Amino acid sequence: MSKYVATVGSAAYEQIKKDIIYGVLTPDTKLKLGAMKTTYSASVSTIRETLSRLASEGFVVAEEQRGFFVAPVSREDLIEIADLRILLECTALKTSVELGDNEWEANLVAAYHKLHLAEQQILNGDLAITETWKRCDSEFHQAMISACNSDNLLSLHSVIFDKYLRYQMSVLTNRGANAVKEHKRMCDAALKRDTEKAQTILTQHITRGLKHALTAFDTRD
Amino acid sequence: MSKYVATVGSAAYEQIKKDIIYGVLTPDTKLKLGAMKTTYSASVSTIRETLSRLASEGFVVAEEQRGFFVAPVSREDLIEIADLRILLECTALKTSVELGDNEWEANLVAAYHKLHLAEQQILNGDLAITETWKRCDSEFHQAMISACNSDNLLSLHSVIFDKYLRYQMSVLTNRGANAVKEHKRMCDAALKRDTEKAQTILTQHITRGLKHALTAFDTRD
DNA sequence: ATATCCTATTTATTCGAAAATAAAGTCAAT
DNA sequence: ATTGACTTTATTTTCGAATAAATAGGATAT
C-alpha cells in the first residue's frame, strides 16, 4: 500500500512534504541543508532540489542566498486556502457529477466505504490511524471530483487540498460526527446526480471546517 | 528594467521558463542535462533543480529515471487552461474591483497606459517588441486583479496565465484591434466599479482568444 | 551603552566527478 | 528478416568538495 519510491530524491520529497503537512516540521522553521542531509539521508544537492519543488508548490519559502523555511501559517492564509478549496472543488464537483460514468460511481462508492471505516475507528478514539484516515478523506474528495475532465484543475486542487490539510492537522479540529454525516450526504447527492445539493454540502463542509480551524487558531497559545 | 538575478539557479530558471513559453524549446523536446549545462551555463545539479521547479509548475514533465521533457500541448489542455484562467481571473477580478483603493486605481491606469503604447507599436507592425508587449499584457491583467486580497489566488493565476501565454505564442494569434478594444472596455468597467461588466468582458476576452487559438491549433501543419 | 568595523564561523550555492540506470548498437540463432 | 541476449554508449541520479555569501562574535571608537 505504501508508495513505491524509485529515487532518493522522490523519497525525500514525499517525506519532507508529509513532515510539513503533519506538523513535524513546524511553520517558519529554518530548513538547514546540512542538517536535512542527515535527517533525510540525501546529499545537499538532492535536498535542495526537493526544497525547490516544495517552494514552488508553496509548502516552503525560499529566500535567495538565505535558504529555505517552512511556509508560515496565518489566519488570512487559512481563509484564502479554504476559499480556494471551495472554488476549485465546487467547480470540479459540478463537472464531475455531470460527466461521471459507472467507473466513477464505483470508485466513489469504494472510496466512501474506506473513508467510512476509518471514520468509525477515529470516532472510537483510535488516533493511531490519523494519517490513514486523512488519506482516505483525501482520496474520497479526489474520487468525487475525479471525473471533472481537467487534469490541470485536479492538480491545482490537490496542492490546495494539502495546504488545507496542514491547517487541519495543526489545530487537529475533530469535528467528528458532523463531518462524517456531511461526507455521507455529499456522496449520496453526487450519486443521485444532484449537482447543486452536492455543491452546497461541500461548501458547508469546508466552511464549517474553516470556522473550527479559525477559532482554534485564534485561541492557540 | 530587466530583472536583477542574484544566483546562477534563478537566472537559469527565468531563461528556461521564458524559452518554453516563447517556443524556443518546443513541446515534447527532451531536455538533456548535459546539453542544457552548456546552453544555460550552469552545472547539472543546478539545471536539475531548475527543471524540477518547472516540472512542479507544469511547464516541464519529469519522468523518473528517464529525464525531463518540455510539457506537451494539446487541444484539451488548451481548453482546460483557458477555463481555469476564466475561473481564477474572474474570481480575483470581482474582489479586486470591489476592494481596490486609490493605489490600485493608479497602478491600473499606469499599467493600461503602458499596454496601450505597446499595442500601438504592435498594430503598426513592429513585431520586435512582442516580448515587451506580452509583458505589458501580463502586467495589465495582474494589475486588474492585484487588489483581490489573496496571494494564493494570485500565484495560482500567475502560473495558469503563463501557460495560456505559451499557447498564445505558439499560434501567435494576433487578434489585433479586437483584443485592444477589450482591454480598454475592461479597464473602464473596473474603474467604474462595474464588477459584472468587467467579468463579462474578461470572459469574452479569454473565450475569443481561445477560439482563435483553437482554430489555429486545428489547422496547424 | 551603542554603533561600526573587522574577523571567524556557519550556511547556501555551485560545480565536476562517481555510481546507477536506461538506450542504442551488435551479433547470433531461429 | 525478427527476436533475444549481450556489450557499449549515453544519460540520469547522487554525492562530496570548492566557492561564495551571510551571520555571529568581538574589539574599538563614540
Side-chain angles (χ1 to χ4, degrees), chain B residues 99-132:
Chain B
L99 299 184
D101 57 8
N102 291 350
E103 194 66 30
W104 168 75
E105 278 196 21
N107 252 317
L108 177 54
V109 173
Y112 174 74
H113 187 70
K114 279 204 261 183
L115 172 59
H116 181 70
L117 294 175
E119 283 173 336
Q120 296 309 312
Q121 281 190 263
I122 288 290
L123 287 178
N124 280 338
D126 182 1
L127 291 205
I129 62 143
T130 299
E131 208 177 305
T132 307

Side-chain angles (χ1 to χ4, degrees), chain A residues 57-121:
Chain A
E57 295 178 25
F59 295 100
V60 160
V61 175
E63 279 184 50
E64 202 111 302
Q65 307 279 35
R66 294 196 355 100
F68 300 89
F69 305 80
V70 177
V73 293
S74 70
R75 212 176 183 283
E76 297 73 39
D77 186 64
L78 169 53
I79 296 171
E80 288 182 23
I81 295 296
D83 284 348
L84 275 174
R85 196 186 144 191
I86 292 173
L87 179 70
L88 297 176
E89 199 164 326
C90 275
T91 303
L93 182 61
K94 179 175 154 64
T95 321
S96 192
V97 168
E98 286 166 5
L99 299 183
D101 58 7
N102 291 349
E103 194 66 30
W104 168 76
E105 278 196 20
N107 253 316
L108 178 53
V109 172
Y112 175 74
H113 188 70
K114 278 204 262 185
L115 172 58
H116 182 69
L117 293 175
E119 284 172 337
Q120 296 309 311
Q121 280 190 263

Side-chain angles (χ1 to χ4, degrees), chain A residues 170-206:
Chain A
S170 81
V171 298
L172 209 47
T173 167
N174 254 322
R175 291 200 297 120
N178 290 323
V180 169
K181 279 182 204 150
E182 282 157 17
H183 281 146
K184 167 121 187 69
R185 289 174 48 228
M186 177 162 50
C187 187
D188 288 346
L191 291 171
K192 279 185 195 145
R193 310 291 169 156
D194 190 339
T195 307
E196 279 210 28
K197 188 172 183 189
Q199 280 187 321
T200 306
I201 298 169
L202 175 59
T203 304
Q204 279 182 3
H205 182 61
I206 299 172

Side-chain angles (χ1 to χ4, degrees), chain B residues 43-103:
Chain B
S43 74
V44 40
S45 313
T46 305
I47 295 288
R48 261 192 78 83
E49 185 182 322
T50 298
L51 293 179
S52 279
R53 281 171 69 185
L54 290 168
S56 84
E57 294 178 27
F59 294 102
V60 160
V61 174
E63 278 185 50
E64 202 111 301
Q65 308 278 37
R66 294 197 355 99
F68 300 90
F69 305 80
V70 178
V73 295
S74 69
R75 212 175 182 282
E76 297 73 38
D77 186 64
L78 169 53
I79 296 171
E80 288 181 25
I81 295 296
D83 284 349
L84 275 175
R85 196 186 143 190
I86 292 173
L87 179 70
L88 297 176
E89 199 164 325
C90 275
T91 303
L93 182 61
K94 178 175 155 65
T95 320
S96 192
V97 167
E98 284 165 7
L99 299 184
D101 57 8
N102 291 350
E103 194 66 30

Side-chain angles (χ1 to χ4, degrees), chain A residues 112-211:
Chain A
Y112 175 74
H113 188 70
K114 278 204 262 185
L115 172 58
H116 182 69
L117 293 175
E119 284 172 337
Q120 296 309 311
Q121 280 190 263
I122 288 291
L123 286 177
N124 280 337
D126 182 1
L127 292 207
I129 63 142
T130 299
E131 209 178 305
T132 307
W133 167 44
K134 282 301 176 189
R135 196 182 51 246
C136 289
D137 183 60
S138 166
E139 284 171 3
F140 167 70
H141 283 277
Q142 206 273 327
M144 293 268 309
I145 63 177
S146 63
C148 78
N149 209 24
S150 171
D151 289 343
N152 285 284
L153 177 50
L154 287 177
S155 73
L156 287 190
H157 173 266
S158 167
V159 174
I160 294 296
F161 188 95
D162 282 342
K163 288 193 184 170
Y164 186 77
L165 177 54
R166 179 166 73 127
Y167 279 100
Q168 286 193 305
M169 293 313 302
S170 81
V171 298
L172 209 47
T173 167
N174 254 322
R175 291 200 297 120
N178 290 323
V180 169
K181 279 182 204 150
E182 282 157 17
H183 281 146
K184 167 121 187 69
R185 289 174 48 228
M186 177 162 50
C187 187
D188 288 346
L191 291 171
K192 279 185 195 145
R193 310 291 169 156
D194 190 339
T195 307
E196 279 210 28
K197 188 172 183 189
Q199 280 187 321
T200 306
I201 298 169
L202 175 59
T203 304
Q204 279 182 3
H205 182 61
I206 299 172
T207 305
R208 285 175 185 163
L210 169 62
K211 238 173 223 160

Side-chain angles (χ1 to χ4, degrees), chain A residues 32-33 45 48 65:
Chain A
K32 290 182 201 165
L33 296 166
S45 313
R48 261 193 78 83
Q65 307 279 35

Side-chain angles (χ1 to χ4, degrees), chain B residues 4-216:
Chain B
Y4 173 69
V5 172
T7 66
V8 174
S10 53
Y13 171 80
E14 299 291 344
Q15 192 58 52
I16 295 174
K17 183 170 176 178
K18 193 185 276 182
D19 284 351
I20 291 175
I21 291 175
Y22 286 93
V24 177
L25 295 168
T26 55
D28 299 302
T29 301
K30 175 75 188 284
L31 297 167
K32 289 182 202 167
L33 296 166
M36 305 202 81
K37 189 173 128 95
T38 59
T39 314
Y40 297 97
S41 20
S43 74
V44 40
S45 313
T46 305
I47 295 288
R48 261 192 78 83
E49 185 182 322
T50 298
L51 293 179
S52 279
R53 281 171 69 185
L54 290 168
S56 84
E57 294 178 27
F59 294 102
V60 160
V61 174
E63 278 185 50
E64 202 111 301
Q65 308 278 37
R66 294 197 355 99
F68 300 90
F69 305 80
V70 178
V73 295
S74 69
R75 212 175 182 282
E76 297 73 38
D77 186 64
L78 169 53
I79 296 171
E80 288 181 25
I81 295 296
D83 284 349
L84 275 175
R85 196 186 143 190
I86 292 173
L87 179 70
L88 297 176
E89 199 164 325
C90 275
T91 303
L93 182 61
K94 178 175 155 65
T95 320
S96 192
V97 167
E98 284 165 7
L99 299 184
D101 57 8
N102 291 350
E103 194 66 30
W104 168 75
E105 278 196 21
N107 252 317
L108 177 54
V109 173
Y112 174 74
H113 187 70
K114 279 204 261 183
L115 172 59
H116 181 70
L117 294 175
E119 283 173 336
Q120 296 309 312
Q121 281 190 263
I122 288 290
L123 287 178
N124 280 338
D126 182 1
L127 291 205
I129 62 143
T130 299
E131 208 177 305
T132 307
W133 167 45
K134 283 301 174 189
R135 196 183 52 247
C136 290
D137 183 59
S138 166
E139 284 171 2
F140 167 70
H141 283 278
Q142 206 274 328
M144 293 270 308
I145 64 177
S146 64
C148 77
N149 208 23
S150 171
D151 289 342
N152 285 285
L153 177 50
L154 287 177
S155 73
L156 288 189
H157 173 265
S158 166
V159 173
I160 294 295
F161 189 94
D162 282 342
K163 287 191 185 172
Y164 186 77
L165 177 54
R166 180 166 73 128
Y167 279 100
Q168 286 193 305
M169 293 314 301
S170 80
V171 299
L172 210 49
T173 167
N174 254 321
R175 291 200 297 120
N178 290 324
V180 168
K181 278 180 204 150
E182 282 156 18
H183 281 146
K184 167 121 187 69
R185 289 174 47 229
M186 176 163 50
C187 186
D188 289 345
L191 291 171
K192 279 184 196 146
R193 310 289 170 159
D194 190 338
T195 306
E196 279 210 28
K197 188 171 182 186
Q199 280 187 323
T200 306
I201 298 169
L202 175 58
T203 304
Q204 279 182 4
H205 182 61
I206 299 171
T207 305
R208 285 175 185 162
L210 169 63
K211 238 173 224 161
H212 276 253
L214 278 177
T215 44

